């Protein structure tokens, strides 16, 4: 039963984050990436505070686990999401989220470099398959007549941002797993992660004089409120909580594999949102990238 809960939470995370990414991509286009994130994060913190209070998890935690949660929020939410939505604005949601599936490769490389873990032949093969899948999606989206044409420079910047987001996500997942290992509940972990992201985003916003601009943008574009609410429910609130539940009930590799189904999930979600079928190369590439990640993580 515990494993089933973890599996459902992992798959639920993939679809929840796909819905959140699709909705938030629209909001970030209307507001701008930084103003959008500055408005989204406090909303997520408020919702999670209420949920944690009702669950009896709104209390102080040991510094060891709390520090891992805060690190995960700073890197895995603030840095990762900023890179992600900047990339989506340049190369589109499908190419960006498939690039994010490379976070499993980054996690394996970090483990080999700092934890003495061995990749082995299966690990190297998985990395190769995942990378090939990502390339297929990027090429397929580039050739798709329905996709927005971009310059080579803009595409390269978008790809670098997506790869940066994958690295940040990998670090965030490792820190989250460590916080859970130190007995921090998933809901409290979700709250602290979002608190850390909120503090850093508003610190930069105030320092760069963007706070008033963010509030003004919200006033000028009130329709974006519904995108913020929907995206908050599926992303920083529901999605992150589900990912923590998956990490709690499953080995990190299995949980990451299920969460890594997001490139496939986003094809379904974005296809329904845009009312068009993804290119065949995108479908094959997304499935290939997920298969490569699974081969790597389950070695």
């Amino acid at each position: 039963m515990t494993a089933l809960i973890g599996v459902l939470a992992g798959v639920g995370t993939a679809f929840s984050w796909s819905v959140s990414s699709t909705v938030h991509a629209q909001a970030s286009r209307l507001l701008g990436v930084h103003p959008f994130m500055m408005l989204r994060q406090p909303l997520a913190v408020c919702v999670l505070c209420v949920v944690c209070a009702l669950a009896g998890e709104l209390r102080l935690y040991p510094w060891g686990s709390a520090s891992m949660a805060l690190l995960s929020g700073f890197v895995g939410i603030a840095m990762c999401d900023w890179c992600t939505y900047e990339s989506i604005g340049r190369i589109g949601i499908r190419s960006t989220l498939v690039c994010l599936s490379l976070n499993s490769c980054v996690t394996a490389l970090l483990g080999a470099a700092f934890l003495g873990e061995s990749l082995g032949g299966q690990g190297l093969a998985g990395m190769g398959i995942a990378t090939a899948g990502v390339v297929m999606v990027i090429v397929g989206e580039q050739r798709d007549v329905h996709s927005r044409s971009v310059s080579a420079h803009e595409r390269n910047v978008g790809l670098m941002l997506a790869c940066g987001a994958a690295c940040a996500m990998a670090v965030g997942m490792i820190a989250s797993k460590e916080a859970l290992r130190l007995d921090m509940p998933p809901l409290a972990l979700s709250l602290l992660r979002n608190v850390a992201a909120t503090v850093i985003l508003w610190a930069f916003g105030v320092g760069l004089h963007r706070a008033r601009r963010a509030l003004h943008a919200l006033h000028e574009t009130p329709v974006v409120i519904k995108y913020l609410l929907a995206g908050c429910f599926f992303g920083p609130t529901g999605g992150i909580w589900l990912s923590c539940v998956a990490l709690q009930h499953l080995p990190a590799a299995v949980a990451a594999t299920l969460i890594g189904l997001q490139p496939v999930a986003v094809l379904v979600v974005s296809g329904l949102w845009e009312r068009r079928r993804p290119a065949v190369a995108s479908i094959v590439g997304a499935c290939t990238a997920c298969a490569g990640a699974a081969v790597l993580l389950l070695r």
Side-chain angles (χ1 to χ4, degrees):
M1 187 63 181
T2 298
L4 178 60
I5 292 173
V7 169
L8 293 175
V11 175
T13 301
F15 276 91
S16 185
W17 281 353
S18 296
V19 173
S20 173
S21 298
T22 303
V23 173
H24 278 164
Q26 180 65 26
S28 66
R29 292 189 189 103
L30 294 172
L31 294 177
V33 174
H34 196 174
F36 148 70
M37 292 181 66
M38 289 175 67
L39 295 170
R40 180 194 70 173
Q41 289 307 132
L43 183 61
V45 169
C46 291
V47 173
L48 282 167
C49 278
V50 173
V51 175
C52 285
L54 293 174
E57 296 181 3
L58 197 62
R59 59 181 186 271
L60 294 176
Y61 290 90
W63 174 244
S65 58
S67 62
M68 288 295 101
L70 294 173
L71 173 63
S72 179
F74 170 61
V75 180
I77 297 181
M79 291 180 61
C80 176
D81 282 9
W82 182 84
C83 289
T84 297
Y85 289 108
E86 285 286 354
S87 176
I88 288 174
R90 289 172 167 81
I91 62 175
I93 188 170
R94 292 169 182 164
S95 296
T96 297
L97 294 189
V98 171
C99 287
L100 273 180
S101 67
L102 292 176
N103 77 86
S104 57
C105 301
V106 178
T107 302
L109 290 174
L110 290 175
F114 299 105
L115 302 178
E117 297 178 353
S118 175
L119 286 172
Q122 182 177 338
L124 293 173
M127 292 176 65
I129 295 171
T131 304
V134 170
V135 172
M136 289 177 65
V137 172
I138 293 171
V139 173
E141 287 295 305
Q142 184 179 353
R143 293 177 177 176
D144 190 351
V145 295
H146 298 288
S147 299
R148 181 175 66 91
S149 60
V150 298
S151 65
H153 173 73
E154 189 175 11
R155 183 173 62 253
N156 291 338
V157 172
L159 291 174
M160 286 190 291
L161 286 167
C163 291
C167 293
M169 180 180 287
V171 174
M173 287 192 67
I174 290 174
S176 290
K177 186 65 179 178
E178 181 64 16
L180 291 168
R181 189 187 67 81
L182 295 172
D183 296 327
M184 174 168 285
L187 270 177
L189 173 57
S190 302
L191 174 60
L192 283 179
R193 291 187 73 197
N194 280 281
V195 167
T198 301
V199 170
I200 194 65
L201 287 168
W202 274 89
F204 273 99
V206 172
L208 297 174
H209 306 290
R210 292 179 176 176
R212 182 176 297 179
R213 189 189 311 172
L215 296 174
H216 179 72
L218 181 63
H219 177 73
E220 291 294 316
T221 320
V223 70
V224 83
I225 294 176
K226 64 179 182 180
Y227 296 132
L228 287 170
L229 291 173
C232 175
F233 176 78
F234 287 102
T237 305
I240 289 179
W241 173 69
L242 284 173
S243 71
C244 293
V245 172
L247 285 169
Q248 184 182 43
H249 291 282
L250 295 171
V254 178
T257 299
L258 294 173
I259 294 170
L261 291 173
Q262 189 178 359
V264 175
V266 80
L267 291 178
V268 177
V269 174
S270 65
L272 292 172
W273 180 271
E274 298 171 356
R275 297 182 180 179
R276 70 178 178 89
R277 189 178 67 179
V280 174
S282 296
I283 298 173
V284 175
C287 293
T288 302
C290 292
V295 170
L296 167 64
L297 291 169
L298 299 176
R299 67 188 186 280

